[in-house]
Amino acid sequence: MSDCLFCKIVAGKIPSTKVYEDEDILAFNDINPARPVHVLVIPKKHITSLATATAEDTLVLGKILAKANEIAVAQGSPDGFRVIINTGRVGQQEVPHLHAHIVGGPDPVGPMLKRI
Ligand code: 5GP
Ligand code: ZN
């Protein structure tokens, strides 16, 4: 996907602060952090969202979650964190390349959602 922002980050055409990388996934700091630790973890392969992921993506999706604690601890969230995957219009996903937000830090991140 040549016009995808996060594909351009994977390709190195747009700079990012990488915190973890392997053959399948890339993790980098969010440009506008909501908490002291705010990392985006993405598949290197373009997957638009959880709404378009298929069974073929099972391994890479598992890898994103399996690496989350290691990334969080290394970035300064040693005692837990929150994973958020905004999906589609209702999930208010802004960047249409699947990404898991890992948010944390030394202190609790706050309530999950404001209730209606
Ligand atoms: P979404 O709302 O799609 O779940 O989250 C998109 C996230 O991408 C936002 O938290 C936003 O700050 C982050 N973001 C948008 N553009 C860039 C960029 O060019 N570089 C980095 N590192 N993060 C970005
Ligand atoms: Zn992409």
Side-chain angles (χ1 to χ4, degrees):
M1 288 278 285
S2 56
D3 59 346
C4 168
L5 176 66
F6 287 175
C7 282
K8 286 180 183 166
I9 285 179
V10 170
K13 291 176 187 160
I14 292 177
S16 68
T17 307
K18 294 180 187 180
V19 300
Y20 176 79
E21 180 173 19
D22 64 27
E23 64 273 27
D24 298 315
I25 66 174
L26 173 66
F28 53 97
N29 285 326
D30 195 291
I31 203 166
N32 185 20
R35 291 292 183 279
V37 174
H38 189 165
V39 175
L40 302 176
V41 192
I42 69 172
K44 287 189 166 177
K45 165 197 163 186
H46 182 87
I47 303 170
T48 300
S49 78
L50 281 184
T52 65
T54 69
E56 278 182 19
D57 303 321
T58 302
L59 208 62
V60 74
L61 293 176
K63 206 163 181 181
I64 286 169
L65 295 181
K67 279 286 170 191
N69 188 62
E70 181 184 317
I71 292 167
V73 170
Q75 295 309 307
S77 197
D79 199 24
F81 54 89
R82 184 170 294 157
V83 175
I84 301 165
I85 305 180
N86 295 323
T87 302
R89 179 182 66 85
V90 170
Q92 297 187 294
Q93 180 180 1
E94 288 172 9
V95 177
H97 181 129
L98 192 154
H99 50 283
H101 298 252
I102 298 177
V103 288
D107 302 318
V109 296
M112 188 168 74
L113 287 174
K114 287 181 183 158
R115 297 201 181 272
I116 292 169

